[in-house]
Amino acid sequence: MMLQCSILLLFIVTIHGSVFQVPSPFLTLSSNNMTEGQSITLTCVVYPGSTQLPPLTWFWKCGNDNLTGNATTGLHNTALKIKADRKYNGETCFCKVRPSSANDSYSKMSNHVTINVKYAPKTIPFLNTTSTAVVAGEEITLQCTLDSMGNPQIRWTWKCGRYTVYNRRIVNMNATTKLILEADSNLNEKICHCVARSYQLNYEAASNSVSLTVYYFPDGYPEIDRSVFFVNKNTPVTLRCSLNSLGNPPVVWYWYCDNKPILRGIKNTNFGSSLTMIAQLSDHNTACHCRAKSESQWGSYDKNSSKALITIRTTGNTVTESAPIKAGVSKDVFGAVAGILVLVVIIAGVVIVFHHRRIVDMGTRLSTEKRENKNDTGGGQDNLNYSTLREESSHSKE
Protein backbone atom coordinates (compact mmCIF):
# COMPACT_ATOMS: atom_id res chain seq x y z
CA MET A 1 0.00 0.00 0.00
CA MET A 2 2.77 2.46 0.92
CA LEU A 3 4.62 1.60 -2.28
CA GLN A 4 1.51 2.43 -4.26
CA CYS A 5 1.19 5.81 -2.50
CA SER A 6 4.79 6.70 -3.27
CA ILE A 7 4.37 5.85 -6.90
CA LEU A 8 1.21 7.94 -7.01
CA LEU A 9 2.95 10.91 -5.39
CA LEU A 10 5.82 10.68 -7.83
CA PHE A 11 3.33 10.56 -10.68
CA ILE A 12 1.55 13.65 -9.37
CA VAL A 13 4.85 15.51 -9.03
CA THR A 14 5.86 14.48 -12.51
CA ILE A 15 2.51 15.59 -14.03
CA HIS A 16 2.26 18.77 -12.03
CA GLY A 17 5.94 19.60 -11.71
CA SER A 18 5.35 23.22 -12.37
CA VAL A 19 3.52 23.52 -9.07
CA PHE A 20 6.59 22.34 -7.19
CA GLN A 21 9.15 23.97 -9.49
CA VAL A 22 12.02 25.42 -7.34
CA PRO A 23 13.47 28.83 -8.19
CA SER A 24 17.17 28.97 -9.05
CA PRO A 25 19.33 29.55 -5.96
CA PHE A 26 21.78 32.43 -5.58
CA LEU A 27 25.32 31.82 -4.29
CA THR A 28 27.40 34.29 -2.26
CA LEU A 29 30.80 34.07 -0.53
CA SER A 30 31.74 35.45 2.87
CA SER A 31 35.02 36.60 1.30
CA ASN A 32 36.84 35.98 -1.92
CA ASN A 33 40.25 37.10 -0.72
CA MET A 34 41.12 34.52 1.88
CA THR A 35 44.51 33.23 2.97
CA GLU A 36 45.10 29.53 3.08
CA GLY A 37 43.89 28.05 6.37
CA GLN A 38 41.10 30.55 6.95
CA SER A 39 37.39 29.60 6.67
CA ILE A 40 35.20 30.47 3.69
CA THR A 41 31.41 30.37 3.96
CA LEU A 42 29.41 29.74 0.79
CA THR A 43 25.71 30.54 1.16
CA CYS A 44 22.95 29.51 -1.26
CA VAL A 45 19.43 31.00 -0.97
CA VAL A 46 16.23 30.51 -2.90
CA TYR A 47 13.58 33.21 -2.97
CA PRO A 48 10.22 31.48 -3.40
CA GLY A 49 8.10 34.60 -3.43
CA SER A 50 4.47 33.74 -2.62
CA THR A 51 4.98 30.09 -3.48
CA GLN A 52 5.23 27.69 -0.61
CA LEU A 53 8.10 25.36 -1.18
CA PRO A 54 8.24 21.72 -0.25
CA PRO A 55 11.23 20.35 1.68
CA LEU A 56 14.43 20.93 -0.29
CA THR A 57 17.59 18.94 -0.89
CA TRP A 58 20.89 20.78 -1.50
CA PHE A 59 24.06 19.78 -3.31
CA TRP A 60 27.50 21.48 -3.30
CA LYS A 61 30.45 21.18 -5.61
CA CYS A 62 33.82 22.96 -5.72
CA GLY A 63 36.12 21.87 -8.46
CA ASN A 64 35.92 18.10 -8.49
CA ASP A 65 34.83 17.79 -4.85
CA ASN A 66 31.25 17.05 -3.78
CA LEU A 67 30.85 18.82 -0.44
CA THR A 68 27.17 18.37 0.37
CA GLY A 69 27.77 16.54 3.62
CA ASN A 70 29.45 19.59 5.22
CA ALA A 71 26.55 22.01 4.71
CA THR A 72 23.99 23.29 7.18
CA THR A 73 20.48 23.64 5.73
CA GLY A 74 17.59 25.97 6.55
CA LEU A 75 14.14 26.28 5.10
CA HIS A 76 15.14 28.28 2.04
CA ASN A 77 18.93 28.34 2.26
CA THR A 78 22.08 26.39 2.95
CA ALA A 79 25.54 27.39 4.12
CA LEU A 80 28.75 25.52 3.42
CA LYS A 81 31.92 26.25 5.39
CA ILE A 82 35.20 25.09 3.95
CA LYS A 83 38.78 25.73 4.89
CA ALA A 84 40.58 27.85 2.31
CA ASP A 85 42.99 25.51 0.59
CA ARG A 86 45.31 26.07 -2.35
CA LYS A 87 43.59 23.23 -4.18
CA TYR A 88 40.45 25.40 -4.40
CA ASN A 89 42.30 28.44 -5.73
CA GLY A 90 40.92 29.21 -9.16
CA GLU A 91 38.24 26.52 -8.85
CA THR A 92 34.53 27.17 -9.51
CA CYS A 93 31.92 26.47 -6.82
CA PHE A 94 28.15 26.24 -7.16
CA CYS A 95 25.13 24.73 -5.43
CA LYS A 96 22.06 22.84 -6.65
CA VAL A 97 18.61 22.48 -5.10
CA ARG A 98 15.56 20.31 -5.79
CA PRO A 99 12.42 19.20 -4.00
CA SER A 100 13.33 16.38 -1.69
CA SER A 101 10.61 14.19 -3.24
CA ALA A 102 11.75 14.81 -6.83
CA ASN A 103 14.58 13.30 -8.75
CA ASP A 104 17.70 15.16 -9.89
CA SER A 105 16.11 16.23 -13.15
CA TYR A 106 14.23 18.85 -11.14
CA SER A 107 17.44 20.34 -9.72
CA LYS A 108 18.20 24.02 -10.23
CA MET A 109 21.82 25.18 -10.37
CA SER A 110 23.08 28.41 -8.81
CA ASN A 111 25.43 30.95 -10.27
CA HIS A 112 29.11 29.93 -10.37
CA VAL A 113 31.74 31.64 -8.24
CA THR A 114 35.50 31.26 -8.64
CA ILE A 115 37.41 31.07 -5.38
CA ASN A 116 40.65 32.99 -4.83
CA VAL A 117 42.90 31.58 -2.11
CA LYS A 118 46.18 33.26 -1.20
CA TYR A 119 48.95 30.87 -0.30
CA ALA A 120 52.71 30.76 -0.06
CA PRO A 121 55.05 27.99 -1.22
CA LYS A 122 55.35 25.20 1.32
CA THR A 123 59.09 24.75 0.87
CA ILE A 124 62.19 26.90 0.53
CA PRO A 125 63.95 27.12 -2.86
CA PHE A 126 66.43 24.40 -3.71
CA LEU A 127 69.56 25.42 -5.63
CA ASN A 128 71.41 22.98 -7.84
CA THR A 129 74.01 23.22 -10.59
CA THR A 130 75.88 20.82 -12.82
CA SER A 131 79.26 22.37 -12.00
CA THR A 132 80.60 25.16 -9.82
CA ALA A 133 84.20 25.12 -11.15
CA VAL A 134 84.84 26.62 -14.60
CA VAL A 135 87.54 28.38 -16.60
CA ALA A 136 87.18 32.13 -17.18
CA GLY A 137 85.05 32.78 -20.26
CA GLU A 138 82.91 29.67 -19.89
CA GLU A 139 79.25 29.71 -18.81
CA ILE A 140 77.91 28.42 -15.54
CA THR A 141 74.20 27.82 -14.89
CA LEU A 142 72.56 27.92 -11.46
CA GLN A 143 68.96 26.70 -11.05
CA CYS A 144 66.45 27.15 -8.22
CA THR A 145 63.11 25.31 -7.87
CA LEU A 146 60.06 25.56 -5.59
CA ASP A 147 57.01 23.37 -5.05
CA SER A 148 54.80 26.22 -6.32
CA MET A 149 54.89 29.90 -7.18
CA GLY A 150 52.25 30.74 -4.57
CA ASN A 151 49.29 33.10 -5.01
CA PRO A 152 50.04 35.87 -5.72
CA GLN A 153 53.19 34.56 -7.36
CA ILE A 154 56.50 35.05 -5.64
CA ARG A 155 59.33 37.02 -7.25
CA TRP A 156 62.80 35.59 -7.81
CA THR A 157 66.08 37.35 -7.11
CA TRP A 158 69.69 36.14 -7.23
CA LYS A 159 72.60 37.18 -5.05
CA CYS A 160 76.31 36.47 -5.48
CA GLY A 161 78.39 37.72 -2.62
CA ARG A 162 76.81 40.76 -1.00
CA TYR A 163 75.27 42.07 -4.19
CA THR A 164 72.06 41.33 -6.06
CA VAL A 165 72.63 40.07 -9.59
CA TYR A 166 70.91 42.26 -12.20
CA ASN A 167 73.07 42.38 -15.31
CA ARG A 168 73.05 38.65 -16.04
CA ARG A 169 70.78 36.31 -17.92
CA ILE A 170 67.88 35.19 -15.72
CA VAL A 171 65.24 32.82 -17.08
CA ASN A 172 62.05 32.25 -15.03
CA MET A 173 59.67 29.43 -15.91
CA ASN A 174 56.83 28.43 -13.56
CA ALA A 175 58.41 27.47 -10.22
CA THR A 176 61.95 27.40 -11.64
CA THR A 177 64.50 30.16 -12.14
CA LYS A 178 67.87 29.94 -13.87
CA LEU A 179 70.87 32.22 -13.59
CA ILE A 180 73.34 31.97 -16.48
CA LEU A 181 76.75 33.53 -15.79
CA GLU A 182 79.81 34.09 -17.94
CA ALA A 183 82.63 33.23 -15.59
CA ASP A 184 85.24 35.90 -14.89
CA SER A 185 87.77 36.62 -12.16
CA ASN A 186 85.24 38.67 -10.15
CA LEU A 187 83.09 35.57 -9.62
CA ASN A 188 85.87 33.46 -8.15
CA GLU A 189 85.04 32.40 -4.58
CA LYS A 190 81.69 34.21 -4.75
CA ILE A 191 78.87 32.50 -2.82
CA CYS A 192 75.58 32.55 -4.74
CA HIS A 193 71.98 31.76 -3.80
CA CYS A 194 68.46 32.58 -4.92
CA VAL A 195 65.68 34.25 -2.94
CA ALA A 196 61.90 33.78 -3.32
CA ARG A 197 59.88 36.68 -1.93
CA SER A 198 56.27 37.85 -1.62
CA TYR A 199 55.46 40.84 0.58
CA GLN A 200 51.70 40.18 0.33
CA LEU A 201 52.16 36.68 1.68
CA ASN A 202 54.78 37.72 4.22
CA TYR A 203 57.02 35.10 2.67
CA GLU A 204 60.76 35.28 2.05
CA ALA A 205 63.02 32.27 1.74
CA ALA A 206 66.62 31.85 0.60
CA SER A 207 67.97 28.72 -1.01
CA ASN A 208 71.06 26.80 -0.11
CA SER A 209 74.30 28.42 -1.33
CA VAL A 210 77.06 27.34 -3.68
CA SER A 211 80.61 28.68 -3.91
CA LEU A 212 81.92 29.35 -7.41
CA THR A 213 85.45 28.55 -8.54
CA VAL A 214 86.82 30.35 -11.60
CA TYR A 215 90.28 29.50 -12.92
CA TYR A 216 92.07 32.46 -14.55
CA PHE A 217 95.46 34.09 -15.09
CA PRO A 218 96.48 37.63 -14.07
CA ASP A 219 96.22 40.47 -16.57
CA GLY A 220 99.44 42.12 -17.73
CA TYR A 221 102.93 42.04 -16.26
CA PRO A 222 104.02 42.33 -12.63
CA GLU A 223 105.01 45.91 -11.80
CA ILE A 224 107.92 46.93 -9.61
CA ASP A 225 107.19 50.04 -7.55
CA ARG A 226 110.41 51.96 -8.32
CA SER A 227 113.07 51.89 -11.02
CA VAL A 228 115.99 53.25 -8.92
CA PHE A 229 116.74 52.91 -5.20
CA PHE A 230 119.25 55.34 -3.65
CA VAL A 231 120.30 53.91 -0.28
CA ASN A 232 123.10 54.23 2.20
CA LYS A 233 125.52 51.45 2.90
CA ASN A 234 124.44 48.94 5.57
CA THR A 235 120.81 50.06 5.51
CA PRO A 236 117.77 47.93 4.58
CA VAL A 237 116.17 48.33 1.17
CA THR A 238 112.78 46.83 0.19
CA LEU A 239 111.70 46.20 -3.39
CA ARG A 240 108.01 45.48 -4.10
CA CYS A 241 106.19 43.88 -7.02
CA SER A 242 102.43 43.77 -7.54
CA LEU A 243 99.65 42.48 -9.82
CA ASN A 244 96.01 43.56 -10.06
CA SER A 245 95.10 39.96 -9.25
CA LEU A 246 97.14 36.90 -8.46
CA GLY A 247 95.05 34.56 -10.60
CA ASN A 248 93.62 31.21 -9.63
CA PRO A 249 95.57 29.20 -8.76
CA PRO A 250 97.72 32.06 -7.40
CA VAL A 251 101.04 32.85 -9.05
CA VAL A 252 104.35 31.86 -7.45
CA TRP A 253 106.84 34.71 -6.95
CA TYR A 254 110.57 34.65 -7.68
CA TRP A 255 113.25 37.36 -7.25
CA TYR A 256 116.50 37.88 -9.13
CA CYS A 257 119.38 40.34 -8.69
CA ASP A 258 121.85 40.54 -11.57
CA ASN A 259 119.90 37.55 -12.95
CA LYS A 260 120.86 35.43 -9.94
CA PRO A 261 118.00 33.91 -7.90
CA ILE A 262 117.44 35.36 -4.43
CA LEU A 263 116.14 32.92 -1.81
CA ARG A 264 116.04 35.04 1.35
CA GLY A 265 114.13 38.12 2.42
CA ILE A 266 111.07 37.38 0.27
CA LYS A 267 107.58 38.04 1.66
CA ASN A 268 104.37 37.46 -0.32
CA THR A 269 101.22 39.56 0.18
CA ASN A 270 97.66 39.50 -1.17
CA PHE A 271 98.54 41.21 -4.42
CA GLY A 272 102.30 41.00 -4.67
CA SER A 273 105.68 40.17 -3.23
CA SER A 274 108.54 42.07 -1.59
CA LEU A 275 112.29 41.57 -1.27
CA THR A 276 114.16 43.09 1.70
CA MET A 277 117.94 43.08 2.04
CA ILE A 278 120.74 45.03 3.75
CA ALA A 279 122.53 47.16 1.16
CA GLN A 280 126.27 46.56 1.03
CA LEU A 281 128.90 48.45 -0.91
CA SER A 282 129.12 45.48 -3.25
CA ASP A 283 125.44 45.95 -4.14
CA HIS A 284 126.14 49.19 -5.97
CA ASN A 285 124.50 49.17 -9.45
CA THR A 286 122.79 45.83 -8.81
CA ALA A 287 119.71 45.33 -11.03
CA CYS A 288 116.82 43.35 -9.47
CA HIS A 289 113.46 42.17 -10.82
CA CYS A 290 110.59 39.90 -9.86
CA ARG A 291 108.95 37.05 -11.73
CA ALA A 292 105.35 35.73 -11.46
CA LYS A 293 104.63 32.21 -12.65
CA SER A 294 101.56 29.95 -12.73
CA GLU A 295 100.83 26.72 -14.54
CA SER A 296 97.62 24.70 -14.87
CA GLN A 297 96.02 22.16 -17.15
CA TRP A 298 94.53 24.83 -19.41
CA GLY A 299 97.64 27.00 -19.89
CA SER A 300 100.49 28.87 -18.22
CA TYR A 301 101.55 32.36 -17.14
CA ASP A 302 105.21 33.35 -16.76
CA LYS A 303 106.19 37.04 -16.86
CA ASN A 304 108.95 39.28 -15.48
CA SER A 305 108.80 42.81 -14.20
CA SER A 306 111.09 45.61 -15.30
CA LYS A 307 114.39 46.02 -13.40
CA ALA A 308 115.11 48.26 -10.43
CA LEU A 309 118.67 49.57 -9.92
CA ILE A 310 120.19 49.77 -6.44
CA THR A 311 122.61 52.68 -6.02
CA ILE A 312 124.78 52.92 -2.89
CA ARG A 313 125.74 56.40 -1.76
CA THR A 314 128.17 57.75 0.84
CA THR A 315 127.61 60.87 2.98
CA GLY A 316 125.39 63.45 1.34
CA ASN A 317 124.22 62.70 -2.16
CA THR A 318 127.56 61.65 -3.64
CA VAL A 319 127.66 58.12 -4.95
CA THR A 320 130.77 56.26 -3.82
CA GLU A 321 133.56 55.99 -6.43
CA SER A 322 135.51 53.23 -4.72
CA ALA A 323 132.70 50.71 -4.99
CA PRO A 324 133.36 48.11 -7.65
CA ILE A 325 131.16 48.09 -10.70
CA LYS A 326 129.08 44.96 -10.66
CA ALA A 327 127.09 43.08 -13.18
CA GLY A 328 124.51 45.84 -13.18
CA VAL A 329 126.75 47.42 -15.84
CA SER A 330 126.83 45.46 -19.05
CA LYS A 331 129.81 43.14 -19.38
CA ASP A 332 130.24 44.18 -23.03
CA VAL A 333 130.45 47.84 -22.07
CA PHE A 334 132.89 47.08 -19.28
CA GLY A 335 135.07 45.04 -21.66
CA ALA A 336 135.06 47.77 -24.28
CA VAL A 337 136.06 50.44 -21.74
CA ALA A 338 138.83 48.21 -20.37
CA GLY A 339 140.14 47.55 -23.91
CA ILE A 340 140.24 51.25 -24.68
CA LEU A 341 142.14 51.96 -21.46
CA VAL A 342 144.72 49.26 -22.27
CA LEU A 343 145.15 50.65 -25.77
CA VAL A 344 145.69 54.17 -24.41
CA VAL A 345 148.35 52.88 -21.99
CA ILE A 346 150.19 51.05 -24.80
CA ILE A 347 150.14 54.11 -27.06
CA ALA A 348 151.40 56.32 -24.24
CA GLY A 349 154.25 53.88 -23.57
CA VAL A 350 155.27 53.83 -27.22
CA VAL A 351 155.30 57.63 -27.35
CA ILE A 352 157.38 57.86 -24.20
CA VAL A 353 159.94 55.32 -25.48
CA PHE A 354 160.17 57.11 -28.86
CA HIS A 355 160.81 60.49 -27.25
CA HIS A 356 163.32 59.01 -24.88
CA ARG A 357 165.37 57.53 -27.75
CA ARG A 358 165.35 60.86 -29.60
CA ILE A 359 166.64 62.62 -26.50
CA VAL A 360 169.45 60.06 -26.09
CA ASP A 361 170.47 60.36 -29.79
CA MET A 362 170.60 64.14 -29.59
CA GLY A 363 172.76 64.00 -26.44
CA THR A 364 175.21 61.56 -28.08
CA ARG A 365 175.58 63.73 -31.17
CA LEU A 366 176.22 66.88 -29.16
CA SER A 367 178.89 65.14 -27.09
CA THR A 368 180.69 63.96 -30.25
CA GLU A 369 180.74 67.43 -31.77
CA LYS A 370 182.10 68.85 -28.57
CA ARG A 371 185.01 66.39 -28.46
CA GLU A 372 185.90 67.16 -32.08
CA ASN A 373 186.10 70.88 -31.41
CA LYS A 374 188.41 70.31 -28.45
CA ASN A 375 190.86 68.25 -30.57
CA ASP A 376 191.30 71.01 -33.22
CA THR A 377 194.53 73.28 -32.74
CA GLY A 378 194.40 77.01 -32.29
CA GLY A 379 196.12 77.54 -35.76
CA GLY A 380 193.19 76.34 -37.47
CA GLN A 381 191.29 79.38 -36.41
CA ASP A 382 194.33 81.58 -36.95
CA ASN A 383 194.83 80.31 -40.53
CA LEU A 384 191.34 81.12 -41.32
CA ASN A 385 191.79 84.60 -40.00
CA TYR A 386 195.09 85.06 -41.71
CA SER A 387 193.81 84.13 -45.12
CA THR A 388 191.02 86.53 -44.69
CA LEU A 389 193.38 89.34 -43.77
CA ARG A 390 195.55 88.61 -46.80
CA GLU A 391 192.62 88.79 -49.09
CA GLU A 392 191.55 92.06 -47.56
CA SER A 393 195.13 93.51 -47.86
CA SER A 394 195.50 92.60 -51.53
CA HIS A 395 192.19 94.21 -52.31
CA SER A 396 193.33 97.45 -50.67
CA LYS A 397 196.51 97.68 -52.83
CA GLU A 398 194.62 97.44 -55.99
Side-chain angles (χ1 to χ4, degrees):
M1 184 67 180
M2 291 183 63
L3 179 60
Q4 292 176 347
C5 290
S6 297
I7 294 173
L8 179 61
L9 179 61
L10 180 60
F11 177 77
I12 293 173
V13 171
T14 304
I15 298 300
H16 303 284
S18 60
V19 176
F20 298 98
Q21 188 70 32
V22 179
S24 296
F26 183 75
L27 172 61
T28 59
L29 295 178
S30 59
S31 176
N32 200 21
N33 192 27
M34 306 299 291
T35 301
E36 186 174 36
Q38 295 178 334
S39 293
I40 304 176
T41 301
L42 296 87
T43 303
C44 260
V45 179
V46 292
Y47 298 98
S50 58
T51 304
Q52 185 176 358
L53 297 176
L56 302 174
T57 300
W58 297 90
F59 302 90
W60 285 98
K61 192 166 187 178
C62 285
N64 296 321
D65 293 346
N66 293 312
L67 305 171
T68 304
N70 298 321
T72 58
T73 303
L75 182 60
H76 299 146
N77 61 70
T78 183
L80 176 67
K81 282 189 176 182
I82 62 173
K83 183 176 287 187
D85 191 285
R86 65 186 63 201
K87 71 177 181 178
Y88 294 131
N89 180 59
E91 297 290 350
T92 298
C93 295
F94 61 91
C95 67
K96 291 197 305 181
V97 64
R98 65 173 174 81
S100 298
S101 58
N103 59 31
D104 192 59
S105 63
Y106 285 88
S107 296
K108 288 295 183 74
M109 187 181 297
S110 73
N111 55 309
H112 289 58
V113 176
T114 302
I115 295 180
N116 180 47
V117 180
K118 295 190 296 184
Y119 64 94
K122 291 182 178 180
T123 61
I124 65 173
F126 176 72
L127 171 60
N128 64 83
T129 180
T130 55
S131 176
T132 57
V134 294
V135 178
E138 295 180 350
E139 283 191 345
I140 183 170
T141 300
L142 308 178
Q143 177 175 298
C144 267
T145 56
L146 270 173
D147 64 294
S148 69
M149 290 292 288
N151 181 42
Q153 292 188 355
I154 58 95
R155 292 183 178 274
W156 292 106
T157 56
W158 284 91
K159 295 189 73 174
C160 287
R162 296 180 297 168
Y163 304 103
T164 301
V165 178
Y166 291 109
N167 57 340
R168 308 288 182 174
R169 291 165 53 195
I170 299 176
V171 179
N172 297 328
M173 183 178 296
N174 298 326
T176 300
T177 180
K178 290 183 179 181
L179 174 64
I180 304 172
L181 302 167
E182 182 177 345
D184 58 34
S185 59
N186 294 325
L187 287 176
N188 185 47
E189 297 184 348
K190 287 292 188 299
I191 298 176
C192 298
H193 67 277
C194 69
V195 178
R197 180 184 294 112
S198 173
Y199 294 112
Q200 298 183 49
L201 300 172
N202 194 28
Y203 172 86
E204 181 172 351
S207 71
N208 52 306
S209 300
V210 294
S211 179
L212 305 182
T213 301
V214 180
Y215 300 109
Y216 66 97
F217 292 124
D219 296 327
Y221 289 78
E223 294 185 1
I224 203 160
D225 59 348
R226 290 169 59 184
S227 58
V228 180
F229 288 82
F230 293 97
V231 294
N232 295 325
K233 183 178 65 173
N234 296 326
T235 59
V237 56
T238 300
L239 294 80
R240 295 181 177 86
C241 264
S242 62
L243 281 165
N244 291 332
S245 64
L246 298 184
N248 183 37
V251 299
V252 178
W253 291 98
Y254 302 91
W255 281 91
Y256 301 86
C257 287
D258 286 347
N259 296 322
K260 297 178 181 179
I262 304 299
L263 302 179
R264 295 182 179 180
I266 298 174
K267 182 179 180 181
N268 297 329
T269 61
N270 289 336
F271 292 99
S273 179
S274 64
L275 170 64
T276 301
M277 59 189 209
I278 303 300
Q280 303 295 333
L281 196 61
S282 59
D283 293 321
H284 180 58
N285 283 341
T286 296
C288 298
H289 72 276
C290 68
R291 175 188 180 191
K293 184 179 181 181
S294 176
E295 292 185 357
S296 64
Q297 58 186 4
W298 67 88
S300 63
Y301 174 92
D302 190 354
K303 295 183 179 180
N304 296 320
S305 72
S306 57
K307 293 185 178 182
L309 191 66
I310 298 176
T311 301
I312 309 299
R313 58 189 174 190
T314 57
T315 57
N317 295 324
T318 304
V319 179
T320 180
E321 297 178 358
S322 60
I325 299 177
K326 295 192 65 179
V329 178
S330 172
K331 294 181 179 180
D332 294 338
V333 174
F334 181 79
V337 172
I340 293 173
L341 291 176
V342 171
L343 182 61
V344 168
V345 171
I346 293 173
I347 294 174
V350 171
V351 171
I352 292 172
V353 171
F354 176 75
H355 282 284
H356 180 267
R357 292 188 64 181
R358 287 191 61 187
I359 292 171
V360 171
D361 292 342
M362 290 179 63
T364 302
R365 188 172 57 186
L366 290 174
S367 298
T368 303
E369 292 178 354
K370 187 174 181 180
R371 286 195 302 268
E372 290 175 351
N373 290 334
K374 286 183 179 182
N375 293 330
D376 291 342
T377 58
Q381 181 64 33
D382 293 341
N383 291 339
L384 177 61
N385 294 335
Y386 176 75
S387 300
T388 303
L389 290 175
R390 259 179 49 179
E391 290 177 0
E392 290 177 353
S393 174
S394 61
H395 283 301
S396 60
K397 288 181 179 180
E398 291 179 356

